[in-house]
Amino acid sequence: LVLNWATVYQAIFTNCTVKLITPMASGPAEPPRNKVTVVGVGMVGMACAVSILLRDLADELALVDVMEDKLKGEMMDLQHGSLFLKTSKIVADKDYAVTANSRIVVVTAGVRQQEGESRLNLVQRNVNIFKHIIPQIVKHSPNCTLIVVSNPVDVLTYVTWKLSGLPKHRVIGSGTNLDSARFRFLMAERLGIHATSFNGWVLGEHGDTSVPVWSGVSVAGVNLQKLNPEFGLDGDKEDWKATHKEVVDSAYEVIKLKGYTNWAIGLSVADLTESIIKNMSRIHPVSTMVKDMYGIGEEVFLSLPCVLNSNGVGSVINMTLTDAEVGQLKKSADTLWGIQKDLKDV
Amino acid sequence: MTTKEKLITHVLAGEPVGSRSKVTVVGVGMVGMASAVSVLLKDLCDELCLIDVMEDKLKGEVMDLQHGSLFCKTHKIVGDKDYSTTAHSKVVVVTAGARQQEGESRLNLVQRNVNIFKFIIPQIVKYSPNAILLVVSNPVDILTYVAWKLSGFPRHRVIGSGTNLDSGRFRHLMGEKLHLHPSSCHGWIIGEHGDSSVPVWSGVNVAGVSLKGLNPDMGTDADKEDWKHVHKMVVNGAYEVIKLKGYTSWAIGLSVADLVESILKNLHKVHPVSTLVKVRRPYARSPSAKMGQMQCCVLYHCLWL
């Protein structure tokens, strides 16, 4: 049926094209300059894809997945909206050749935790999937920057880095970019201002043990901990610490209510993509290789404020952290290495 | 003094003036959320409201969008089962409704949706008496008529999303083979949204060059190039996507945002949307009113034909 339509297509348009259009440029089509690939067309993958499309970031978007029907359906649905978009080429295939020449590849593929499953087991299952995905991505886009979103993101970013053979500045984990966004939103709500006017960083391991850097929280340059010395501590009458707990719990809450989260992570990935594609050198808290920082001796990925540009992670800001905060980072590093060292085939 | 009091000195006592461009989306299914996200990412409203009967799903969706606030310019995102949350909306997008069951007649589906609309529409009207209603739920032309009747709104404030998407699909297909962007390919599909939509062949053009002028058989059965098949592909496009992924969402969401933009920004753009077409049949005893697609000039306040 598809072949039939393709033949009809050719017949319809050849005649019209000849009469209507006089070609100027000859030769093969120009390769894309800002191609983005999204691996995995589940809820998160599609939210990333739509956010990137609506922000006009890419001149070509490629989707990859193993579920062929779903993949084709999603591609068609996006293509049908192309009148309203500025991304002229939207492609999809099971075969990774479709991803060739990508500047950025967003990896959302992977399995979800089963009930009662250990983290190590989940990670090993995802390693087996990534073993198939990552080498193919790199084969077709050797100069890309990889953004890993699949969870547990810090471990899987390490896995991706190992499997890809790419230099460490080209492999990023979405990390605490979303945690920080949630933090800034919830804190800003309490103060009645917009999230962008509230400056605060949540770093370290994405998830339950993320580290809110209370000493760095400010509005219009006014350091909140200087206004309130108890800020973020246990004794704080205003209990600002509870807001960080809300950040940690919010992902679980949304999952409990609607089954998954996708819009917020999609928007945050588009934000990272923008900085990289437009070579902006904006600072984002993303997961990067932190060996030899803060006394961490192992090859682990944790979120720190990273300057993102066309290189990927151009540089990392040396955060001033309290001893307690450094201690938390070190503890996370140990936990992560505890999982990573037992992984097979990485 | 609390930290907030130390940090901030209020200039204006009390909350600022209410929202000026509030959009409500009724129904947080795939289509509703795609519409909501498209509206959000196009920075169209200063307040977005979501409504549904499924309270958990609704709350989860509202939270998920709120968590992305850092990246958006819509400060207020709210949602509730109670329609009072929708008050003072400028545009209300209705995506709620039942889907066709296997083997169900269209009439039965419509009746089920009428029963749902009988609950929804009066509540919308109660809290946003000056809103513009944009109906997306299918069968859209009939349900737009139902919404118009139930709302008591003047005809210019009730629109069906109609063939805005069909035309979008048509222009996409045109663009694919002419190697042009769809926005440079002009073609209008009007009439009933769905199987019996009407492609206006005489209007299909690129840069003002009429394609029917180049190919007079275009759209007829005699056409060697079988343009009619392109229209068939538009009609089948939706069914194909539904077969592959279970539903369509992104394209309709984008087309809804396109319409909302024209309304909120008073753009005077021309869109193919479902509006009241009262037809006086020469041999009938009385005029019959029905909803059909016409080219409409979509304005802030009213619809021109």
Side-chain angles (χ1 to χ4, degrees):
Chain A
L1 189 68
V2 173
L3 194 58
N4 204 14
W5 283 4
T7 340
V8 172
Y9 239 166
Q10 287 299 109
I12 293 174
F13 289 97
T14 329
N15 206 0
C16 262
T17 324
V18 166
K19 285 189 204 173
L20 178 70
I21 297 174
T22 299
M24 277 279 180
S26 57
E30 283 278 306
R33 295 163 190 233
N34 292 313
K35 178 170 173 174
V36 176
T37 290
V38 178
V39 180
V41 296
M43 291 299 177
V44 173
M46 289 314 296
C48 294
V50 162
S51 301
I52 287 168
L53 284 173
L54 275 157
R55 288 254 183 263
D56 296 339
L57 295 178
D59 57 4
E60 186 175 328
L61 177 76
L63 303 175
V64 196
D65 202 299
V66 292
M67 296 170 60
E68 294 183 78
D69 278 357
K70 167 84 166 155
L71 178 64
K72 188 171 178 207
E74 293 290 3
M75 176 195 74
M76 283 179 74
D77 204 2
L78 290 179
Q79 284 175 338
H80 289 168
S82 56
L83 171 62
F84 312 108
L85 297 170
K86 292 184 181 159
T87 301
S88 55
K89 202 169 167 190
I90 299 173
V91 293
D93 206 304
K94 197 175 59 164
D95 188 330
Y96 279 78
V98 80
T99 70
N101 298 315
S102 298
R103 273 195 76 179
I104 295 187
V105 179
V106 180
V107 184
T108 72
V111 292
R112 265 183 245 169
Q113 213 157 348
Q114 311 274 44
E115 226 176 307
E117 182 180 23
S118 76
R119 253 180 134 206
L120 181 59
N121 202 49
L122 168 69
V123 175
Q124 187 62 59
R125 284 203 293 141
N126 275 329
V127 167
N128 298 338
I129 292 174
F130 275 42
K131 256 163 49 186
H132 169 72
I133 293 175
I134 307 298
Q136 300 224 54
I137 294 172
V138 175
K139 171 180 167 193
H140 289 107
S141 307
N143 299 316
C144 73
T145 299
L146 281 164
I147 301 179
V148 181
V149 184
S150 321
N151 270 316
V153 68
D154 300 299
V155 178
L156 287 179
T157 312
Y158 166 80
V159 169
T160 303
W161 174 56
K162 283 299 220 175
L163 289 171
S164 66
L166 290 176
K168 60 188 182 179
H169 61 266
R170 289 210 171 267
V171 183
I172 301 166
S174 65
T176 58
N177 195 38
L178 180 52
D179 307 48
S180 297
R182 287 185 173 127
F183 183 69
R184 293 170 71 179
F185 165 68
L186 291 168
M187 298 287 275
E189 280 267 285
R190 278 183 76 162
L191 296 172
I193 57 178
H194 193 265
T196 49
S197 296
F198 184 92
N199 297 299
W201 296 83
V202 176
L203 305 176
E205 190 185 350
H206 167 65
D208 301 355
T209 50
S210 57
V211 181
V213 183
W214 297 109
S215 55
V217 169
S218 69
V219 175
V222 179
N223 186 299
L224 294 194
Q225 204 166 57
K226 289 216 170 64
L227 285 188
N228 173 7
E230 302 285 304
F231 197 72
L233 301 176
D234 285 311
D236 180 17
K237 279 185 229 52
E238 295 169 33
D239 200 10
W240 287 92
K241 202 175 179 182
T243 312
H244 174 246
K245 185 156 196 330
E246 234 188 296
V247 170
V248 170
D249 290 342
S250 58
Y252 296 121
E253 239 212 286
V254 175
I255 291 172
K256 205 172 70 173
L257 292 167
K258 67 175 244 194
Y260 53 89
T261 85
N262 65 334
W263 302 124
I265 182 68
L267 287 165
S268 78
V269 164
D271 193 46
L272 299 176
T273 305
E274 188 180 28
S275 286
I276 299 171
I277 281 196
K278 295 184 183 178
N279 197 20
M280 287 177 83
S281 292
R282 274 193 304 184
I283 304 174
H284 299 266
V286 289
S287 200
T288 188
M289 226 285 281
V290 297
K291 180 169 175 223
D292 298 330
M293 292 188 218
Y294 303 104
I296 293 168
E298 307 291 359
E299 284 178 340
V300 293
F301 279 69
L302 290 173
S303 291
L304 289 177
C306 297
V307 178
L308 294 186
N309 52 36
S310 307
N311 282 322
V313 181
S315 42
V316 175
I317 303 295
N318 298 321
M319 213 49 183
T320 40
L321 299 173
T322 64
D323 292 337
E325 286 158 352
V326 173
Q328 280 177 280
L329 289 185
K330 280 215 192 107
K331 196 156 167 258
S332 292
D334 290 339
T335 311
L336 292 173
W337 187 248
I339 297 174
Q340 285 169 201
K341 70 181 183 354
D342 289 330
L343 290 174
K344 302 186 196 37
D345 310 325
V346 170
Chain B
M1 268 180 115
T2 63
T3 313
K4 182 177 178 182
E5 285 162 347
K6 286 187 207 170
L7 179 69
I8 298 175
T9 299
H10 280 286
V11 174
L12 178 70
E15 270 294 297
V17 170
S19 54
R20 293 158 192 252
S21 55
K22 178 169 173 176
V23 174
T24 290
V25 177
V26 181
V28 295
M30 292 300 177
V31 173
M33 288 316 295
S35 305
V37 161
S38 301
V39 165
L40 206 60
L41 274 157
K42 283 174 72 95
D43 297 336
L44 297 180
C45 57
D46 59 7
E47 185 175 341
L48 178 70
C49 176
L50 303 180
I51 291 271
D52 204 297
V53 291
M54 295 170 61
E55 293 183 77
D56 278 357
K57 167 82 166 158
L58 174 64
K59 187 170 179 210
E61 293 290 3
V62 169
M63 280 180 79
D64 205 2
L65 290 180
Q66 285 175 337
H67 290 165
S69 290
L70 177 64
F71 312 109
C72 297
K73 294 186 178 155
T74 301
H75 185 57
K76 206 169 169 194
I77 299 172
V78 294
D80 203 298
K81 195 174 61 160
D82 190 324
Y83 278 77
S84 57
T85 333
T86 70
H88 308 303
S89 298
K90 287 283 187 297
V91 180
V92 179
V93 181
V94 185
T95 72
R99 260 185 249 170
Q100 214 156 346
Q101 310 274 45
E102 225 177 307
E104 180 178 24
S105 75
R106 253 179 136 211
L107 183 58
N108 202 50
L109 170 69
V110 174
Q111 188 58 57
R112 285 204 288 139
N113 277 332
V114 167
N115 297 337
I116 292 172
F117 273 41
K118 266 176 17 198
F119 172 73
I120 293 174
I121 305 295
Q123 301 233 51
I124 294 172
V125 171
K126 173 177 169 190
Y127 290 105
S128 307
N130 298 314
I132 292 173
L133 280 176
L134 177 56
V135 180
V136 183
S137 323
N138 269 317
V140 68
D141 300 302
I142 299 179
L143 288 181
T144 310
Y145 170 79
V146 169
W148 173 59
K149 281 292 192 181
L150 288 171
S151 64
F153 275 178
R155 53 183 277 195
H156 61 260
R157 284 204 276 120
V158 184
I159 306 168
S161 66
T163 57
N164 198 42
L165 178 53
D166 304 47
S167 300
R169 285 186 176 125
F170 182 79
R171 295 169 71 178
H172 158 69
L173 292 172
M174 251 181 99
E176 279 272 285
K177 274 304 170 163
L178 295 174
H179 301 298
L180 300 172
H181 193 269
S183 59
S184 296
C185 299
H186 302 283
W188 293 81
I189 296 191
I190 60 174
E192 186 189 351
H193 168 64
D195 301 356
S196 55
S197 58
V198 180
V200 183
W201 299 114
S202 53
V204 174
N205 73 86
V206 173
V209 179
S210 162
L211 293 195
K212 196 165 162 110
L214 294 181
N215 172 14
D217 288 331
M218 189 186 199
T220 66
D221 287 315
D223 182 13
K224 281 187 219 61
E225 295 172 0
D226 200 9
W227 273 88
K228 250 182 142 168
H229 197 86
V230 178
H231 177 241
K232 196 161 196 316
M233 280 173 81
V234 171
V235 168
N236 288 338
Y239 296 122
E240 238 211 289
V241 175
I242 291 171
K243 206 173 70 173
L244 291 167
K245 65 175 250 196
Y247 54 90
T248 83
S249 57
W250 305 123
I252 182 69
L254 287 165
S255 87
V256 163
D258 187 47
L259 297 173
V260 171
E261 183 178 30
S262 288
I263 297 171
L264 288 177
K265 295 185 184 177
N266 200 18
L267 286 181
H268 287 63
K269 258 171 82 166
V270 185
H271 296 267
V273 289
S274 194
T275 185
L276 182 63
V277 179
K278 207 161 163 177
V279 176
R280 193 174 279 276
R281 287 201 288 244
Y283 305 104
R285 283 178 203 264
S286 57
S288 60
K290 64 174 199 270
M291 283 294 186
Q293 248 83 331
M294 293 286 284
Q295 260 94 315
C296 301
C297 192
V298 182
L299 285 190
Y300 192 69
H301 289 301
C302 63
L303 248 51
W304 287 2
L305 281 159

